[in-house]
Amino acid sequence: MMARRFGKNRRSEPVAPETNSSRSSPGSRPPQPSGATTGPPTTYPAVRIDRVTKVYNEETAEELLAISDVTLNVEQGEVIALLGPSGCGKSTLLKMIGGLYPTTEGTISIDGVEVTEPSELTGMMFQKPVLFPWLKIVDSILLPVRVHGEKRAEHLERANELIELTGLAGFGESYPWQLSGGMQQRAAICRMLMGDPSVLLLDEPFGALDEMTREYMDVELRRIINQQNRSAILVTHNPLEAAFVADRVVVLSPRPGQIAGEVEVPIGKERPDELFASDELNVYIREARSLFERGRGEGGLPT
C-alpha cells in the first residue's frame, strides 16, 4: 500500500445542469441567484483544473496513484492535446473533466461551474463510435435529446445541419453497418455536438482508424471545432496528431501523470492537410516527441 494518504474530495454541492434556454454563452458568468448583485461580466477559462489528484482503490492494498497535482487552464476557443504514454492518466483526467470520475483532491470547473457530475457543458467522444446497430444514423445523432424526453421533430433540423457539417449528407437514413469506420466517427461527432456543449472531450477518437483515414479525420475535426467555435481537449499518444490538431500540446509523464512540459503550436486556426508534410509543423512535432520520449525513457518527469 502506498504510504501517502489523501484528503477527502473537496467538491461543493452538485450544481444542477443548465438548460439550453438558461445557459450562458461560453466563458460568461454562470447564472446568478435572484436578487444577487452583479458587477461587470466575468470571463472564465473554458476548463480550470486546480491541483487535481486521482487515486484508485484508495486505502486498500490495490491503491494506485494515477494523476498527481495537475493544474491546467484551457482558454475559451483553445484546443489542447494531452500527449503521453499508455497508462499515464490521460483518459482518467479527461473523464474527470467530463464528470464521469470524481477527483480525489482538487477541483475542476467548466465555464466557472464546478464539475460534480456529467453535464450539458461537455460533450465526449471515445475511440469507438458506439452507434446502436438498430438505429438509423440520424436517430443515433438525436439520442442525447431523446433520452431527456424531448421530441424528435423539434431537433431534426439541427441533426440534419450536423449531418451536412460533417459530410454525411445522404447517409442520415443509413444504418451504422452501411458506413465506413471514418463515417461512423463522423456520426459520433454529430451526436457529441447535438447537445451544444461548450467543451469537446476527445478520447483518442480516431485511434482505431488506418493512418490515411486518421489524418483526414484530424483535418475534419479541426475544421468542425473552428466552425462551431468550441474549446476542445484531445487525448492522444501520437505527437503528429497532437501538433496538427492542437493549439497547445500538454505532455504528461508516465504514471503518476504530471505535466512534463508544454509545446505551443502557433500556426493559426486553419489546418489544411498540406501541413502534415510541412517543415513548419515538423518543428512542433519534434518538440512534442522529445518531451514525450524523454519522460517515457526516464520513467518520470524530464529533467
Side-chain angles (χ1 to χ4, degrees):
M1 183 181 298
M2 296 168 56
R4 183 180 178 187
R5 286 287 173 260
F6 300 89
K8 292 183 179 180
N9 188 358
R10 300 190 297 271
R11 287 179 176 274
S12 61
E13 291 299 314
V15 179
E18 301 168 88
T19 63
N20 287 339
S21 59
S22 64
R23 183 174 152 196
S24 55
S25 60
S28 61
R29 180 189 297 272
Q32 301 294 305
S34 177
T37 302
T38 59
T42 302
T43 299
Y44 296 91
V47 180
R48 170 65 177 165
I49 302 168
D50 187 17
R51 305 198 67 177
V52 163
T53 290
K54 177 64 178 177
V55 181
Y56 289 107
N57 305 315
E58 193 175 8
E59 298 186 2
T60 72
E62 290 77 35
E63 183 173 286
L64 178 67
L65 177 60
I67 293 286
S68 179
D69 198 27
V70 169
T71 294
L72 177 69
N73 277 5
V74 180
E75 302 304 329
Q76 296 293 335
E78 187 179 25
V79 182
I80 293 289
L82 294 178
L83 176 69
S86 297
C88 74
K90 303 184 300 295
S91 293
T92 292
L93 184 57
L94 197 75
K95 289 170 183 174
M96 287 193 291
I97 296 168
L100 299 178
Y101 293 168
T103 66
T104 303
E105 287 189 346
T107 58
I108 299 173
S109 58
I110 308 291
D111 289 346
V113 179
E114 186 174 348
V115 174
T116 59
E117 60 186 354
S119 80
E120 295 176 352
L121 293 174
T122 57
M124 186 166 282
M125 185 176 173
F126 300 97
Q127 185 170 339
K128 294 182 179 180
V130 197
L131 302 174
F132 293 112
W134 59 87
L135 289 180
K136 294 180 179 179
I137 294 302
V138 67
D139 290 309
S140 288
I141 293 167
L142 286 163
L143 199 58
V145 295
R146 297 300 305 279
V147 297
H148 286 101
E150 300 183 38
K151 294 182 179 179
R152 181 181 189 274
E154 294 175 355
H155 298 276
L156 186 58
E157 182 178 359
R158 170 62 174 165
N160 285 326
E161 288 175 356
L162 292 172
I163 286 171
E164 185 76 27
L165 172 71
T166 57
L168 285 177
F171 292 95
E173 297 299 313
S174 300
Y175 290 94
W177 55 269
Q178 296 174 305
L179 273 59
S180 68
M183 294 173 76
Q184 290 182 26
Q185 288 294 57
R186 289 168 185 259
I189 292 173
C190 293
R191 184 180 57 200
M192 174 179 62
L193 293 171
M194 192 67 214
D196 196 27
S198 298
V199 179
L200 309 182
L201 305 176
L202 308 154
D203 194 359
E204 298 196 66
F206 311 133
L209 302 178
D210 64 86
E211 184 176 358
M212 293 296 292
T213 304
R214 181 174 184 157
E215 289 185 1
Y216 180 76
M217 290 304 299
D218 284 337
V219 174
E220 288 294 282
L221 176 64
R222 183 66 203 221
R223 176 184 65 82
I224 291 165
I225 291 171
N226 290 345
Q227 189 166 338
Q228 295 292 296
N229 191 28
R230 295 295 187 267
S231 307
I233 303 175
L234 170 71
V235 162
T236 182
H237 56 265
N238 185 321
L240 171 60
E241 180 174 58
F244 180 85
V245 174
D247 302 310
R248 179 161 49 113
V249 179
V250 178
V251 181
L252 297 184
S253 69
R255 191 175 62 240
Q258 297 176 284
I259 295 179
E262 299 184 3
V263 178
E264 298 281 350
V265 188
I267 56 177
K269 292 291 186 182
E270 301 300 322
R271 306 288 173 94
D273 57 3
E274 293 85 0
L275 269 177
F276 281 114
S278 71
D279 292 337
E280 182 181 23
L281 183 66
N282 202 38
V283 169
Y284 305 111
I285 295 171
R286 287 197 300 268
E287 288 184 29
R289 180 173 284 122
S290 176
L291 280 173
F292 177 86
E293 294 294 342
R294 286 173 61 195
R296 184 169 64 175
E298 297 169 9
L301 290 173
T303 58

